Amino acid sequence: MGPVSLYFDYRDLFKSLRLALSGKKIWIFISGNVTGYIFYWIFSYVAIILSGETFNDALTRYGLYPYLEISTSDWPSQLIYFLGLFTLIISFLLSNTAVSRVTYRQLKGDDFYSPKDSYNYLHKHWHPVLFAPIAILFIIFVFVVFASFFALIGSIPVFGEFLFSFAYIIYFFGALFTFYTFFVLAVCLIFTPAIVSVCEEDTMGAVFHSYATTTSQPWRLILYHTMLIPLLLIGLVVMSWFWMNTVGFIDFIFGHDWFMAEKFSKISNYAFRLIFPDIISDVFVLLKEQLWSIFGFNLYFPTLFPLDFKSSADSLKIVDIAGGTILSLSYFLLFLSVISYGFSIISVGQTIMFIIFKKLSDDENLLLGEDEFPKNYNGGMDIDKKVELKGEID
């Protein structure tokens, strides 16, 4: 199968919803999200305990979604908490790179590229994903240090005033470059997974591509992401609608008086409240309303099987709590699958964007180039068969 045909303009972004709806891509993000979440959860509760709160009180207060109140905590707690956030960000960036690699191989016509292949690739190329943003931060740090040094010299009586006045133009362009580098840092965080997965670059190559993309395609960066966000919202709404109605269909059958009835309601209500306490539900509703208001429209589908999860007024038995806890794992995975589909849309969209930018900037079609294969990778074909075919071609 040959490469996917692209227009190399904004129209290609509409492929993101379809290409992102892939079990392989969603599973990669689910795995990454679970890994990052576990580390974040542990680090967060350690930080909360160090800040003076007991584990039982913290668990009752925060449940599955802990966070540290920065204003009332000391620096050791803040350090541990931000380490947890850092692991969450790392897991997203690495998962994004793996999904971007699968997308790139798919766009080249290889539908047999598996998550295992992407993990093998990631094992060899994870360094620039983490170190490219650090390198850009280091560039900013060096310029700030130099500016501080010259500012210190400028404090010298008489000589400092003249030096500052004569060298002001140099200071201005140095400050302008530093200010510009902050934008490059944002682009680097967004596009490094796509750069590494498509171009197989090292850290310096990823930094170079970040500067080049920011310089050559500034307006497309803004406009294409302005298009991608509504597509992301549409994808999340549609997938959530199918998921919620499927859950509602199960509740309609199992919760019928002929079957589990009240027993099912207790279990499902308890499980749902574990995953979606009121504060989390309110945050999602508010966030959805704010995003739709920004873009000036709202997408609504009528609910076929409405859900009605309410806190049970009756006391729960141990078996109800145990069953609800086990059921909450399924609810949590379903919730993660929706979130992971959203991340997959972002990853696929940014991979397509980078391929478009390279075509427009350098007139280079990255889908036609050769790239490396993982060891023992056969692209869905027997190795001996590939060698035989290669011999026939030669």
Side-chain angles (χ1 to χ4, degrees):
M1 184 181 295
V4 175
S5 178
L6 297 180
Y7 297 101
F8 294 104
D9 59 26
Y10 67 91
R11 290 173 290 181
D12 296 323
L13 290 180
F14 291 98
K15 293 182 173 69
S16 301
L17 291 177
R18 176 178 59 84
L19 294 176
L21 190 58
S22 163
K24 292 186 291 187
K25 300 183 183 76
I26 294 175
W27 173 251
I28 290 172
F29 266 120
I30 288 178
S31 302
N33 287 335
V34 169
T35 303
Y37 169 79
I38 290 174
F39 280 100
Y40 169 77
W41 193 89
I42 293 173
F43 276 97
S44 296
Y45 272 108
V46 170
I48 292 172
I49 292 171
L50 286 179
S51 65
E53 195 167 352
T54 64
F55 177 73
N56 290 334
D57 292 341
L59 188 62
T60 302
R61 182 179 180 184
Y62 301 107
L64 294 175
Y65 309 100
Y67 64 91
L68 182 69
E69 296 181 2
I70 304 299
S71 60
T72 59
S73 58
D74 51 9
W75 72 265
S77 300
Q78 296 175 9
L79 177 62
I80 293 175
Y81 178 71
F82 283 114
L83 283 175
L85 279 177
F86 186 62
T87 58
L88 196 61
I89 295 172
I90 288 176
S91 67
F92 170 75
L93 291 176
L94 295 179
S95 300
N96 192 356
T97 306
V99 170
S100 182
R101 182 64 180 179
V102 174
T103 302
Y104 175 58
R105 294 300 310 172
Q106 184 180 8
L107 290 172
K108 288 176 70 71
D110 183 7
D111 291 324
F112 296 97
Y113 201 82
S114 67
K116 181 180 178 181
D117 297 323
S118 68
Y119 291 144
N120 291 335
Y121 179 85
L122 186 62
H123 180 72
K124 296 173 59 178
H125 296 275
W126 64 269
H127 310 84
V129 178
L130 302 185
F131 292 127
I134 295 176
I136 295 179
L137 279 173
F138 180 74
I139 293 173
I140 295 173
F141 173 76
V142 169
F143 272 85
V144 171
V145 169
F146 272 104
S148 302
F149 173 74
F150 285 109
L152 183 63
I153 295 177
S155 64
I156 300 175
V158 182
F159 175 76
E161 286 85 342
F162 282 101
L163 178 64
F164 174 77
S165 300
F166 282 113
Y168 183 80
I169 294 299
I170 299 176
Y171 297 156
F172 174 81
F173 283 105
L176 179 63
F177 178 79
T178 305
F179 184 63
Y180 166 75
T181 303
F182 278 105
F183 291 95
V184 177
L185 176 61
V187 173
C188 182
L189 287 170
I190 292 172
F191 276 102
T192 294
I195 293 170
V196 172
S197 63
V198 173
C199 295
E200 303 167 12
E201 291 286 1
D202 56 10
T203 299
M204 294 309 299
V207 171
F208 170 78
H209 278 294
S210 298
Y211 273 99
T213 302
T214 308
T215 303
S216 62
Q217 307 293 335
W219 288 112
R220 285 191 178 92
L221 278 169
I222 298 173
L223 293 176
Y224 282 20
H225 279 91
T226 303
M227 287 183 56
L228 186 62
I229 294 176
L231 292 175
L232 168 65
L233 294 177
I234 292 171
L236 289 176
V237 168
V238 173
M239 189 173 188
S240 299
W241 183 85
F242 276 101
W243 259 227
M244 295 299 289
N245 278 280
T246 302
V247 173
F249 182 58
I250 295 173
D251 291 1
F252 175 75
I253 296 176
F254 283 79
H256 197 276
D257 293 338
W258 291 356
F259 305 112
M260 294 181 67
E262 187 66 23
K263 182 188 298 186
F264 176 81
S265 298
K266 289 182 180 180
I267 295 174
S268 59
N269 289 345
Y270 181 79
F272 188 84
R273 289 300 170 185
L274 282 178
I275 305 302
F276 300 104
D278 291 337
I279 184 173
I280 297 299
S281 300
D282 293 342
V283 167
F284 276 106
V285 171
L286 179 62
L287 182 61
K288 176 185 175 182
E289 292 176 351
Q290 291 296 323
L291 288 174
W292 283 127
S293 64
I294 291 175
F295 293 98
F297 68 97
N298 196 352
L299 188 64
Y300 173 77
F301 296 102
T303 303
L304 301 179
F305 295 95
L307 296 172
D308 186 18
F309 291 112
K310 298 179 181 179
S311 300
S312 178
D314 301 330
S315 59
L316 298 177
K317 300 178 182 178
I318 295 179
V319 67
D320 295 330
I321 295 175
T325 302
I326 297 173
L327 179 60
S328 67
L329 297 177
S330 298
Y331 284 163
F332 188 63
L333 287 176
L334 292 174
F335 170 65
L336 274 183
S337 68
V338 175
I339 299 299
S340 297
Y341 176 54
F343 287 152
S344 181
I345 294 173
I346 295 173
S347 179
V348 171
Q350 290 172 347
T351 304
I352 293 175
M353 282 185 207
F354 181 71
I355 293 172
I356 294 172
F357 294 161
K358 285 294 291 182
K359 177 65 175 177
L360 296 177
S361 299
D362 305 331
D363 195 23
E364 179 183 0
N365 188 348
L366 295 173
L367 300 183
L368 300 180
E370 294 292 334
D371 60 358
E372 67 177 34
F373 290 89
K375 185 178 181 181
N376 299 327
Y377 175 71
N378 59 12
M381 183 183 297
D382 183 77
I383 291 290
D384 296 333
K385 183 65 175 176
K386 291 189 72 174
V387 173
E388 179 183 344
L389 290 175
K390 185 178 184 300
E392 292 178 0
I393 295 174
D394 294 339

